[in-house]
Amino acid sequence: MNTFFSRSLLSLCCALPLTALGASEDDLIAQARAIHERVLTLDTHVDIPLNFATSEFMPADAEAQVNLNTMQSGGLDGAFFSVYVGQGARDTEGNLHAKADALAKFDAIHRMTDSLYSDRIGLATTAAEARALHAEGKLVALIGMENAYVIGQDLSLLADYRARGARYLTLVHNGHNDVGDSAQPQARFNDADEEHQGLSAFGYQVVDELNRLGILVDVSHVSKATMLAATAHSKAPVLASHSSARALFDHPRNMDDEQLLALKANGGVVQIVAFNAYLRPAGETATVQDLVNHIDHVVQLIGIDHVGISSDFGGGGGISGWNGAAETFNLTLELVRRGYSEADIAKIWSGNVLRILEQAERVAEGG
Ligand SMILES: [Zn+2]
């Protein structure tokens, strides 16, 4: 039986996925559009500038990869906006400066959700709130903090940041800090390859406090030893908010298979990131297909419940086919092409990360 004939027979008798039947391109796009419309699409890492939500950078229409208009036109329903602070001097003055920048970014996100655009976007502090906002037809903002430098050595600041809406904390950024080692030690700080050989003693306390508060422990940017230590220690599932798979591209920011297996054992989730340098060698352009290859790898190794998507827009992210919120549909289309079901796509786009946020909430409640 030739392939064409067998496909024709199948299409008469069976409700197989369109992709398996060699459906027409138009059918496939229509199916993907419907799925893209229904699922909650959530990007777990979008950077904002310090002047965000001021007259210099209005969230609705600022010239940027993500704004509220392109989120709506592109069907990007929500994002973790990042309270990112770059590593600086680890002294009293440096810590104060980091805290000031963090507070400025919290205030900026709240100006967007609480006053400027409260009719279009709301701040979610729980998975249930995120789903409710989406059901209302509003965009969803969540807040992640990037770099535990924002607490210096003051554990009590975590409760303050939680009250401001933070729901994940990336332990380390570029350069070691007081919590742990970075995947990318910095010569400008005279970093050795390793400083703590994983998490510092203070770092273990930070993980405990994050668990107590229901803030996700984010293991992107940390060294492998730090990631494995934090993942083994955390009572709640951990998040890698923007990382890719090292088996497909050997970059220190990506997670190797041993790390992915540790993530699975912990119940955590890795959010494959649209960051060119983590997907392709310098000088080559990464595509949506490359990104989805990383999703496929994670799914094959540790299953559909442990993977999601992030952009790092505003922080160096962007690839061919997904270089801004307006192009978000291309990802759903590629997932449909590869045969992922709507249920799978819903998990990849937000179900997995919201599940672990709920689990972190339960751990915080002592459940
Ligand atoms: Zn980052």
Side-chain angles (χ1 to χ4, degrees), residues 44-45 80 143-145 166-170 215-216 218 239 241:
T44 52
H45 200 81
F80 275 85
I143 301 178
M145 287 179 293
R167 289 299 179 271
Y168 74 66
L169 173 65
T170 317
I215 299 173
L216 289 166
D218 180 11
L239 175 69
S241 68

Side-chain angles (χ1 to χ4, degrees), residues 29 38 41-42 58 85 158 186 198 205 221 226-227 229 233 257 265 288 292 297 322 356:
I29 291 171
R38 285 191 291 265
T41 56
L42 185 61
M58 289 300 269
V85 177
L158 287 173
Q186 299 293 301
Q205 294 181 324
H221 281 292
T226 305
M227 181 272 169
H233 188 69
D257 286 355
V288 165
V292 179
H297 176 75
W322 198 36
I356 65 168

Side-chain angles (χ1 to χ4, degrees), residues 69-291:
N69 290 345
T70 56
M71 284 179 79
Q72 273 166 331
S73 67
L76 180 61
D77 301 320
F80 275 85
F81 291 86
S82 180
V83 172
Y84 157 71
V85 177
Q87 190 59 46
R90 285 148 66 184
D91 55 23
T92 304
E93 194 188 348
N95 290 342
L96 280 173
H97 197 264
K99 180 182 164 188
D101 281 359
L103 294 180
K105 288 191 174 179
F106 276 111
D107 287 349
I109 296 165
H110 279 276
R111 279 197 300 278
M112 171 176 71
T113 58
D114 304 352
S115 55
L116 289 172
Y117 301 103
S118 57
D119 56 331
R120 294 177 67 181
I121 186 165
L123 181 70
T125 60
T126 65
E129 286 176 7
R131 292 196 184 96
L133 283 164
H134 183 237
E136 271 177 53
K138 279 191 181 177
L139 296 172
V140 183
L142 295 110
I143 301 178
M145 287 179 293
E146 186 174 31
N147 197 357
Y149 183 44
V150 296
I151 63 167
Q153 296 180 330
D154 184 356
L155 215 49
S156 74
L157 282 174
L158 287 173
D160 178 291
Y161 293 148
R162 184 189 187 280
R164 295 170 195 270
R167 289 299 179 271
Y168 74 66
L169 173 65
T170 317
L171 299 176
V172 181
H173 192 251
N174 293 337
H176 306 320
N177 65 19
D178 292 330
V179 166
D181 292 341
S182 173
Q184 296 177 294
Q186 299 293 301
R188 65 198 158 108
F189 301 129
N190 297 315
D191 282 349
D193 288 348
E194 291 187 290
E195 177 178 328
H196 308 287
Q197 288 74 47
L199 270 184
S200 69
F202 177 61
Y204 281 97
Q205 294 181 324
V206 168
V207 170
D208 287 339
E209 183 67 357
L210 293 171
N211 285 168
R212 190 182 74 80
L213 293 168
I215 299 173
L216 289 166
V217 176
D218 180 11
V219 294
S220 285
H221 281 292
V222 309
S223 73
K224 178 175 175 177
T226 305
M227 181 272 169
L228 291 174
T231 302
H233 188 69
S234 176
K235 290 195 277 293
V238 302
L239 175 69
S241 68
H242 55 307
S243 293
S244 296
R246 202 153 180 174
L248 272 62
F249 189 70
D250 187 12
H251 188 287
R253 275 285 283 105
N254 291 343
M255 297 173 69
D256 68 20
D257 286 355
E258 183 186 356
Q259 290 174 277
L260 291 173
L261 290 167
L263 196 74
K264 178 188 171 77
N266 156 275
V269 176
V270 57
Q271 304 285 114
I272 301 299
V273 61
F275 200 95
N276 207 99
Y278 309 160
L279 299 171
R280 283 273 168 189
E284 293 184 18
T285 303
T287 64
V288 165
Q289 287 72 32
D290 291 319
L291 188 152

